[in-house]
Amino acid sequence: MIGTGLSLERRIQIGFGIAVAIIVAVGAVALRSTEATVSSAQWVAHTLQVRAELEAGFADLIEAETGVRGYVITGDTTYLAPYHSARATLNSRLAGLRALTADNPAQQRRLDSLDTLVATRLERFQWTIETRRTGGPAAAARAVVGGRGKELMQLVHDVITQMEEDEGRLLAQRAVTLQAKARLARLTAWTGALVAFALAGLASVLVGREMAGRRVAEQRLRLLVGSVRDYAIYMVDPAGYVKTWNAGAERIKGYAPPEILGQHFARFFTPEDVAAGRPAAVLHAAATEGRYEEENWRLRKDGSRFWADVVITAVRDDRGALLGFAKVTRDLTERKRAEQALRASEERFRILAVTANDAILSADRHGHITYFNPGAERIFGLRSDEVIGQPLTVLMPERFREAHRAGLARYVATGEARVIGKTVELAGRRNDGTEFPLELSLAAWKHGSEVAFTAIIRDITARKEGEDQRRRYAAQLEAANKELEAFSYSVSHDLRAPLRGIDGFSQALLEDYHDRLDDTGRDFLQRVRAGSQRMATLIDDLLSLSRVTRSELQMAEVNLSALAAATAAELQKSDPTRAVTFAIAPDLVVRADPGLMRIVLQNLLGNAWKFTAKRSPAHVEFGVTANDHGRAYFVRDDGAGFDMAYAAKLFGAFQRLHAAAEFPGTGIGLATVQRIIHRHGGQIWAEGAPERGATFYFTL
Amino acid sequence: MHDRSILLVEDNPDDEALTRRALAKNNIQNEILLARDGAEALDWLFGTGAHAGGAATPELVLLDLKLPKVDGLEVLRRIRANPRTRLLPVVILTSSREEKDVVTGYGLGANSYIRKPVDFGQFVEAVRQLGLYWLVLNEPPPNPDAA
């Protein structure tokens, strides 16, 4: 392209203007050359005419002389005809020559001489004729002989020759001029033709290049429009029939170009819109306003709807005639959906804020309330419209206000937060001036560039009261525990002392007064001793039970298998005469309190040992089995067993299923075991049948 | 004064009688100094109050824990805090088997901790072993008064 700011049309106009100017100039030069040529040619013809006239005049003169001589000789007047004719023609010939050579002074001067010579010669002919008629042939002959006719003719001839030569010279000159002009005319014509041809060629190149550029640009535009996938871009004619179709249109609306080209665009509208005449209405609006835009539902080929942003632009030619409409459609379904989701979300949060039992309120960077939910209205006893714009301090007791103002100023200035992002307990002030305890969660956020705050406030009056109540209960419980501990200590220490006395002095009686007691008396004293010792055991077991309840669980890895083996060894050592086989599953490791698990296994294995006393050999098994609750550990024996009808009584304190005389015991062991298992979050249960043995299961 | 004596700190007369009997049955002839409460025990040891005449230097202290006025653990603490008595063998002889008492007792420097069995036979056996160990086998620390 030529690098000017001129439009193509202007450049082409200028190019053609220059070409026309050159052609006109060439034409003018050629015309002038031609005119000159023609003029030269006229001059040649003119020369030839002059020479012909001169020769014809001289011939007239010769003929006149011959005629005159014939008359002189014969006297016959008929010979005088050429003379009369010559007289008539010569004057006109001379006048014609004078006219012909009017531009040539030298010829004019010669014509003057010729006029005189011709006139003289014609006078001599007249005189000879008069002489012949009046004097007869002789006189006439003398006159002819004596006359100077011959000399005159020679003179005329000379003058004519000079004139002819002059004309010939002129002719030669003019011929040369003519040739030069003709050459110039040819040259000019050729040059002009070449220049015009060159210009035409240049213009053609320029136009061609411009056209090619336009074609490229047009193609680019077509490709661009065609490849746009996010927008449906297409044209309809003034009546609404689809004329073009791009990739975006195919993607969004689902029609391939062959399916839709030539179809009416009303098919993109929903049936209700079609029924309402929308297709025509939007075209009318676009035609009237030049542009029409709307967001509305449109149909895809498969009948599904999408939310479309539609822009229709009327396309007109230079004279304003409507060519059609350009339509650009965007699928905003996703955006619409997102907007709906956002609205729904906003609605949810609004409902959340409105229905929240807690006070939710917002404040700007100055601490002025900007939102106050119904929960806040209820808690503070203030209406939203009363507090919006008020400082937050109206919600606080006087003594907190200064600290709040300082904290807010510090946060806004330095970003240092002490309360923000935390939950703190403070006091609030109701509209009636009463104070109440509250829990505050404060968050700071950016509202545009400004800091804003949101507070969630819970009235914790009831909770505080509950906490106080719980604290009181806890204190009472602790006191009760302390009392119980003191009681246990007392029991342990003081209850045993009298027993020692009873036992010790009974023994002293037996020893020191042995001879004064009969067998019955000694037996009674033995019973007193046995009773006191049994009571000591009971007290110890009770203390153990209460310790199990009071002590903290010390959780650790406990190897139950090793513990069971150690317990079994102790039992065997206590009575080596008994034949009891212990089968202990290896590597049963649990996480539990080791001391308490020892008590559990001592009790369960001890019971198994005790209740198999009448069986020999006896079998005791410790193992694990899977059940609904997971792993259940068990201790199984083949001893006395129990009736399942009494299974519920097994784990109660002081509950015994066997006579003390049959199997000794306090009835506290299983109660202790159950407490330990329960404290570990486990379960304990038993299965058995009289004389068929018993199995105790526990989980942890 | 009261060389090779045993200071028995016991508020219960029954227990006192039974202890004396058990000692006697084991032929332990050492003089028994009796304190009915913790304060009296300290009077004995430091020559104060009722025993202002002079401090006793018993060979062994049998100390009950649950005592009127000053309890046994406090008595033990003061014994160990005093340079004159800090090496004195002290055997806690009590009804309590509370872990707390056992741990605190040893922590304060008790030499033994024996729980009085209810069975008198067992008690006699325990006193026998006790006497054998502390009064016969054990080499007592040098008498600070003799130095």
Side-chain angles (χ1 to χ4, degrees):
Chain A
M1 292 297 124
I2 296 163
T4 69
L6 295 173
S7 70
L8 176 77
E9 286 76 9
R10 193 81 191 121
R11 284 201 296 272
I12 289 176
Q13 280 169 1
I14 290 171
F16 275 107
I18 292 169
V20 166
I22 289 172
I23 289 166
V24 167
V26 168
V29 170
L31 187 64
R32 279 193 58 182
S33 294
T34 309
E35 277 172 358
T37 308
V38 169
S39 153
S40 296
Q42 279 171 347
W43 278 112
V44 171
H46 173 261
T47 303
L48 293 175
Q49 194 180 357
V50 170
R51 289 179 69 167
E53 286 293 313
L54 285 172
E55 280 168 14
F58 189 69
D60 286 349
L61 222 48
I62 297 289
E63 278 183 33
E65 186 179 36
T66 309
V68 169
R69 279 175 186 167
Y71 175 69
V72 164
I73 296 166
T74 64
D76 182 355
T77 57
T78 59
Y79 284 103
L80 287 177
Y83 163 70
H84 291 301
S85 158
R87 278 197 82 103
T89 60
L90 273 172
N91 278 333
S92 69
R93 280 191 205 281
L94 286 171
L97 278 170
R98 188 166 291 275
L100 278 173
T101 63
D103 60 326
N104 194 331
Q107 294 291 65
Q108 292 280 316
R109 275 192 307 278
R110 290 191 189 100
L111 268 178
D112 290 345
S113 306
L114 196 56
D115 278 349
T116 313
L117 286 172
V118 167
T120 309
R121 187 66 187 116
L122 288 176
E123 286 295 319
R124 290 297 298 182
F125 283 151
Q126 189 60 41
W127 180 71
T128 304
I129 292 164
E130 286 295 319
T131 308
R132 174 62 184 87
R133 198 173 61 215
T134 56
R142 278 186 316 269
V144 170
V145 175
R148 297 188 18 240
K150 197 168 163 58
E151 283 172 48
L152 272 172
M153 281 306 278
Q154 191 57 48
L155 283 172
V156 168
H157 185 259
D158 287 348
V159 170
I160 284 175
T161 303
Q162 277 176 9
M163 285 186 77
E164 279 186 345
E165 281 173 357
D166 198 32
E167 281 300 320
R169 193 179 39 77
L170 279 172
L171 180 65
Q173 272 179 2
R174 282 170 185 157
V176 169
T177 308
L178 179 64
Q179 273 179 0
K181 289 206 172 153
R183 231 184 359 258
L184 182 63
R186 268 200 308 278
L187 188 64
T188 309
W190 277 112
T191 308
L194 279 173
V195 169
F197 188 74
L199 276 174
L202 183 63
S204 156
V205 167
L206 285 180
V207 168
R209 203 187 288 171
E210 182 65 29
M211 294 299 278
R214 286 198 171 198
R215 263 198 308 280
V216 168
E218 213 169 90
Q219 190 172 9
R220 278 188 195 136
L221 185 65
R222 207 171 57 239
L223 287 172
L224 178 69
V225 169
S227 63
V228 166
R229 292 183 54 78
D230 293 335
Y231 293 83
I233 302 173
Y234 61 100
M235 286 200 66
V236 299
D237 67 12
Y241 290 93
V242 176
K243 290 293 162 197
T244 71
W245 197 248
N246 79 334
E250 180 169 354
R251 189 183 69 81
I252 291 172
K253 295 183 187 277
Y255 294 96
E259 296 173 307
I260 196 63
L261 290 175
Q263 300 291 330
H264 197 267
F265 88 122
R267 65 175 56 210
F268 306 140
F269 286 74
T270 58
E272 53 269 30
D273 279 351
V274 172
R278 297 287 303 150
V282 298
L283 287 191
H284 179 73
T288 322
E289 304 294 326
R291 187 173 184 280
Y292 176 79
E293 180 165 8
E294 71 169 21
E295 280 191 19
N296 208 338
W297 290 107
R298 289 287 191 272
L299 289 185
R300 296 193 186 93
K301 181 189 174 189
D302 61 10
S304 61
R305 291 179 179 214
F306 65 99
W307 186 255
D309 170 62
V310 183
V311 178
I312 307 175
T313 311
V315 179
R316 294 176 185 279
D317 67 10
D318 296 343
R319 293 183 302 279
L322 187 63
L323 298 176
F325 299 93
K327 298 198 64 183
V328 179
T329 304
R330 219 161 16 132
D331 183 349
L332 296 183
T333 312
E334 277 308 311
R335 203 179 78 186
K336 175 94 173 164
R337 211 167 278 158
E339 278 172 5
Q340 281 172 340
L342 185 65
R343 265 201 297 280
S345 166
E346 276 173 355
E347 178 67 7
R348 270 201 304 280
F349 281 109
R350 196 187 63 77
I351 289 170
L352 200 64
V354 166
T355 58
N357 203 33
D358 292 343
I360 300 175
L361 51 102
S362 300
D364 61 18
R365 62 192 293 269
H366 306 294
H368 291 149
I369 296 166
T370 53
Y371 176 74
F372 205 70
N373 81 331
E377 293 182 332
R378 188 177 51 74
I379 288 173
F380 287 97
L382 283 159
R383 283 201 321 278
S384 174
D385 56 354
E386 290 175 308
V387 288
I388 297 286
Q390 296 286 317
L392 281 166
T393 48
V394 302
L395 308 175
M396 301 172 189
E398 189 69 49
R399 65 183 187 282
F400 290 121
R401 292 182 182 175
E402 197 40 55
H404 162 77
R405 279 191 280 264
L408 179 65
R410 186 184 59 241
Y411 179 76
V412 170
T414 68
E416 184 194 340
R418 293 194 187 158
V419 188
I420 288 163
K422 299 185 188 116
T423 300
V424 294
E425 288 188 4
L426 288 170
R429 181 182 178 279
R430 296 193 188 90
N431 195 29
D432 60 11
T434 54
E435 269 190 34
F436 64 99
L438 60 79
E439 186 183 80
L440 166 71
S441 301
L442 191 59
W445 42 283
K446 287 269 182 188
H447 183 66
S449 61
E450 292 249 309
V451 175
F453 305 93
T454 293
I456 298 178
I457 291 171
R458 177 167 294 177
D459 183 343
I460 54 171
T461 308
R463 196 175 80 190
K464 277 282 182 198
E465 281 166 5
E467 277 172 13
D468 290 348
Q469 187 73 26
R470 268 198 298 283
R471 254 197 298 281
R472 277 198 297 277
Y473 287 154
Q476 282 170 4
L477 187 64
E478 199 174 336
N481 271 337
K482 280 228 163 65
E483 214 170 293
L484 185 64
E485 208 167 312
F487 172 73
S488 298
Y489 189 80
S490 257
V491 166
S492 155
H493 196 274
D494 296 346
L495 247 54
R496 285 167 59 90
L499 290 175
R500 273 197 309 278
I502 294 166
D503 187 77
F505 292 115
S506 301
Q507 180 62 22
L509 269 177
L510 283 170
E511 286 170 6
D512 295 0
Y513 300 90
H514 186 266
D515 49 346
R516 285 186 238 177
L517 288 169
D518 59 10
D519 286 348
T520 309
R522 286 192 290 271
D523 178 50
F524 288 166
L525 280 174
Q526 286 297 353
R527 285 174 190 270
V528 169
R529 289 196 64 200
S532 58
Q533 283 167 24
R534 231 178 78 70
M535 185 163 173
T537 312
L538 267 170
I539 290 168
D540 281 352
D541 285 355
L542 271 176
L543 287 174
S544 171
L545 178 63
S546 88
R547 251 200 305 279
V548 161
T549 313
R550 278 183 292 139
S551 61
E552 285 276 314
L553 287 184
Q554 306 288 330
M555 302 300 273
E557 297 271 298
V558 183
N559 187 332
L560 293 181
S561 301
L563 208 52
T567 306
E570 277 170 27
L571 288 167
Q572 271 169 337
K573 204 172 149 196
S574 72
D575 188 353
T577 62
R578 284 199 51 194
V580 179
T581 314
F582 284 94
I584 296 167
D587 303 325
L588 300 180
V589 179
V590 297
R591 194 165 174 77
D593 184 311
L596 295 180
M597 290 320 290
R598 181 184 297 276
I599 294 173
V600 166
L601 288 177
Q602 277 173 348
N603 270 287
L604 294 178
L605 290 169
N607 280 349
W609 175 268
K610 190 163 67 182
F611 291 107
T612 53
K614 291 170 183 168
R615 189 112 30 227
S616 189
H619 297 91
V620 176
E621 186 187 355
F622 174 63
V624 67
T625 180
N627 82 329
D628 298 346
H629 308 290
R631 288 157 74 83
Y633 303 89
F634 65 86
V635 174
R636 179 175 293 140
D637 66 59
D638 55 356
F642 62 92
D643 188 337
M644 283 298 278
Y646 306 118
K649 289 190 161 187
L650 278 174
F651 300 101
F654 304 112
Q655 297 286 339
R656 291 177 50 82
L657 296 185
H658 299 276
E662 199 177 4
F663 296 105
T666 57
I668 296 177
L670 285 177
T672 306
V673 168
Q674 188 185 42
R675 278 202 191 181
I676 291 171
I677 297 301
H678 285 177
R679 287 206 66 191
H680 281 82
Q683 297 289 326
I684 184 162
W685 66 98
E687 288 170 0
E691 300 307 320
R692 304 265 304 273
T695 307
F696 286 83
Y697 298 91
F698 64 90
T699 59
L700 290 171
Chain B
M1 222 169 96
H2 307 294
D3 275 1
R4 297 193 55 77
S5 59
I6 295 171
L7 176 59
L8 175 62
V9 190
E10 178 59 72
D11 63 325
N12 185 330
D14 288 352
D15 275 346
E16 179 213 332
L18 290 171
T19 306
R20 282 181 191 276
R21 184 178 173 87
L23 288 168
K25 281 181 90 70
N26 286 303
N27 294 313
I28 296 168
Q29 305 296 333
N30 303 52
E31 185 188 0
I32 306 291
L33 310 177
L34 179 70
R36 289 281 178 211
D37 56 52
E40 192 180 356
L42 293 171
D43 284 345
W44 268 118
L45 289 171
F46 301 127
T48 52
H51 302 282
T57 50
E59 190 162 340
L60 179 67
V61 178
L62 297 177
L63 181 64
D64 197 1
L65 288 183
K66 195 152 182 288
L67 294 167
K69 298 181 182 173
V70 180
D71 75 23
L73 290 171
E74 178 61 18
V75 170
L76 177 60
R77 201 182 62 72
R78 295 213 202 157
I79 287 171
R80 291 295 177 242
N82 190 306
R84 214 180 58 81
T85 54
R86 100 190 136 83
L87 298 175
L88 190 58
V90 176
V91 172
I92 293 174
L93 193 62
T94 182
S95 302
S96 166
R97 206 170 57 181
E98 289 289 305
E99 191 179 290
K100 188 184 69 184
D101 287 342
V102 179
V103 169
T104 314
Y106 277 116
L108 289 172
N111 297 79
S112 285
Y113 191 108
I114 292 167
R115 189 186 186 222
K116 289 181 239 176
V118 168
D119 185 328
F120 186 70
Q122 289 176 19
F123 184 57
V124 170
E125 174 61 17
V127 169
R128 189 186 69 76
Q129 290 186 18
L130 193 79
L132 178 68
Y133 182 81
W134 287 109
L135 300 174
V136 180
L137 299 176
N138 187 50
E139 190 64 37
N143 188 337
D145 294 337

